[in-house]
Amino acid sequence: MSSQKLVCTGCGCLCDDINAEVGAHGLTGIENACTKGVAYLSAAFNEDRRTASLIRGEKCLPTEAINEARSLLAKAERPLIFGLDCSTCEAQQQAINLARKRQATIDDASSSSYGSLIQSILSGGLPTCAFSEVKDNADLLVYWGSDAPNTHPRHLSKYTYYAYTDFDKAGWYPKVVLGCIDIRNSELCAMSNMAIKLRPGQDGDFMRAVLDDTHSVSEDANKFRERMKKSRFCVFFCGLGLVHSLGSDLSPLPQMMEALGQSTRIALMPMISEINLRGFTQKLYEDTGYVNQVSFAGGVLHSSDYSLHEQLRNNTADCVILIDSDPYRLLPHQLMRNLRNTRVIYLGPFKTPVASLADVVIATAIPGIEQGGSVLRMDGIEIDLLSVRETRYPTQQDVLAQLMDAA
Amino acid sequence: MTDDTASLDVQLIVFEDVHLEVVRYADGWDSGTYQEKAGVVQLSPLDLKKLDIKNGSHVTLTTHGGNIVVKAKSEKRCAEGVAWLPASLYSNYLAVYDPSVSKTVMPKVTKASISPTQEDVTPIPQIIPGVDDA
């Protein structure tokens, strides 16, 4: 048995203070991880949760699966590469290279989540900050459309509210105001100093009401505006609730941040769940100028037509390579019916709904446990993952390199 | 699929539940425990009364995406006319993407109707075509 320090790859927090006791038959002890992290790491060390390499449901050697995938890819005229949000930056770069070489389309889960926000952050349209700037510096933390205790259980304790070392005179409460804006009475709302409940889809209207300080009839908007004016440094942690409420029109958000930013510093951080969605979007942005939905067929093209959901809806792609990502967990199932009309190659470590349906499954190593590499945390800071145990599985990067020579 | 005794139109809000994620990792997405935890819709006690059902009764949840049978759970924090469903394979089955109406691929809020039923909770393999016959 050995004690290993590792980075938890259970969610976007990427907690780097995990101690794991690793025995001959798996994980025997774990310290510092949250309930979600313990469950994830236990699954990662449990062979029963792993998928085998498969060709049309039949077990095979990894080399046979790779050869079959290479053959399917060679025949494809409109291939699509999707996923990579739980892959290392090195695998992501390899996938972008493969997409470029094969003149393929490439996309990730940010198309249906934080893509627009991240594009604005990377292009300088929205200010952001690192976690190291938040603790003991920000005096107002607003979780908007996000219930962090359920999505990122250690977010508050490791990086924000409970991580503060500066307390009020009674020595009980951190010197920071915790705010929550949501459509549900979530667990986070119940513990917040300032909880504002909105009606579904009203986030944009609320932002406009905050800006309109002469005619606003919203008591909550007035309260929020006054609290913002008192703040020196406010951070918005934006969840999917906000993103989906604003839909394709994000404009009220930067307008509100710019107006309120006259009197206070405001930063925004998307509450990314995947361990390296930030890495993929940033890498693709640096390579093409876009964070997702890119086609390399005839240069660099960008359109929502190149998203997985539109490609499935229109039956465009004739071969889909899913890399450690399961559309059944990301998209409406109405779209999944069309996945039957295309060839599917799945690379990943775990049994998932799509792994049980794919034409080819290539079982791969788990980043952060069986392979090292780098990832970008939700605040854009690079984190190095370690390899803490030997594995018989190839890395995604190695498999993608072998697919490069598909004719 | 419905018994058609009573029906209630609600706003269905999908939320993240860490306990469900724990079960998914621990037992797998195709396990009975995942199905038991994911197949629960939370409703106001007043709405349970309107439907004339008890806590734990089965209901059919219908959207433009399809319908499923889940358990109804009384939750005081739910407002009348609002239902909470944890993000899972069930909620994705009910989700609707129609770009002519909205560009949002996975809306957090959907219109749904709820009616009592005597049927069993919809098994996960039934909502993923091919898994049961793969």
Side-chain angles (χ1 to χ4, degrees), chain A residues 47-117:
Chain A
E47 272 299 314
D48 290 342
R49 309 257 13 98
R50 305 294 293 270
T51 185
S53 289
L54 306 165
I55 297 176
R56 282 170 280 282
E58 298 294 325
K59 278 188 183 175
C60 65
L61 294 171
T63 49
E64 292 172 327
I66 293 169
N67 285 337
E68 181 66 13
R70 198 189 276 133
S71 166
L72 291 180
L73 185 58
K75 289 176 198 157
E77 292 176 3
R78 298 174 306 281
L80 166 69
I81 298 173
F82 180 86
L84 294 150
D85 297 324
C86 294
S87 307
T88 62
C89 291
E90 294 78 10
Q92 291 170 345
Q93 187 60 60
Q94 190 70 58
I96 294 170
N97 294 346
L98 176 62
R100 194 182 284 279
K101 184 178 179 193
R102 289 287 309 156
Q103 299 193 346
T105 298
I106 190 163
D107 188 37
D108 80 328
S110 71
S111 274
S112 54
S113 62
Y114 296 107
S116 304
L117 270 187

Side-chain angles (χ1 to χ4, degrees), chain B residues 2-3 13 26 33 37 40 47-48 80 82 85 111 115 125:
Chain B
T2 65
D3 287 352
I13 298 179
T33 43
K37 197 93 185 159
V40 178
D47 283 340
L48 284 186
E80 267 186 274
V82 173
L85 186 69
K111 284 181 184 171
S115 54

Side-chain angles (χ1 to χ4, degrees), chain A residues 194-255:
Chain A
M194 177 183 67
I196 294 172
K197 191 178 172 193
L198 301 180
R199 293 199 307 276
Q202 298 300 303
D203 299 67
D205 289 341
F206 179 78
M207 290 173 187
R208 283 184 276 273
V210 169
L211 288 177
D212 184 4
D213 60 359
T214 53
H215 302 98
S216 175
V217 291
S218 163
E219 196 178 312
D220 283 335
N222 291 336
K223 183 172 77 175
F224 180 71
R225 185 190 318 108
E226 292 311 309
R227 190 64 203 76
M228 288 293 300
K229 282 181 181 172
K230 288 182 196 164
S231 165
R232 286 172 290 104
F233 179 19
C234 167
V235 185
F236 291 148
F237 297 101
C238 298
L240 285 178
L242 173 61
V243 172
H244 289 160
S245 173
L246 292 176
S248 53
D249 181 18
L250 284 182
S251 62
L253 180 61
Q255 284 168 13

Side-chain angles (χ1 to χ4, degrees), chain A residues 9-11 35-36 39-40 43 46 49 111-112 145 147 149-151 153 183-187 197 200-201 240-241 243-248 304 307 309-310 313 327-335 337 340 351-354 356-357, chain B residues 11 13-19 21-30 34 42 65-66 76-79 82 84 88-99 102-109 127-134:
Chain A
T9 43
C11 81
T35 176
K36 188 174 174 179
Y40 171 78
N46 180 357
R49 309 257 13 98
S111 274
S112 54
D147 185 19
N150 275 288
T151 56
I183 58 173
R184 289 176 67 236
N185 289 326
S186 64
E187 288 176 39
K197 191 178 172 193
L240 285 178
V243 172
H244 289 160
S245 173
L246 292 176
S248 53
S304 60
S307 63
H309 51 271
E310 281 297 310
R313 194 173 72 89
Y328 276 103
R329 293 196 53 241
L330 297 170
L331 297 177
H333 287 196
Q334 65 175 137
L335 296 171
R337 289 161 197 145
R340 281 285 176 188
K351 288 175 184 168
T352 68
V354 86
S356 61
L357 302 174
Chain B
Q11 280 191 308
I13 298 179
V14 175
F15 70 100
E16 300 290 335
D17 180 358
V18 70
H19 305 296
E21 279 296 276
V22 168
V23 169
R24 183 172 70 83
Y25 284 133
D27 299 340
W29 58 271
D30 51 355
Y34 178 85
Q42 300 179 28
K76 287 178 185 169
R77 290 183 298 159
C78 271
V82 173
W84 295 352
S88 72
L89 294 171
Y90 285 120
S91 62
N92 288 9
Y93 181 77
L94 293 177
V96 182
Y97 170 56
D98 181 354
S102 168
K103 299 286 183 197
T104 303
V105 184
M106 282 292 288
K108 283 275 183 190
V109 184
I127 61 172
I128 301 181
V131 163
D132 45 350
D133 56 35

Side-chain angles (χ1 to χ4, degrees), chain A residues 296-313:
Chain A
F296 288 107
V300 173
L301 306 171
H302 172 71
S303 158
S304 60
D305 290 344
Y306 304 127
S307 63
L308 174 65
H309 51 271
E310 281 297 310
Q311 293 262 309
L312 287 178
R313 194 173 72 89

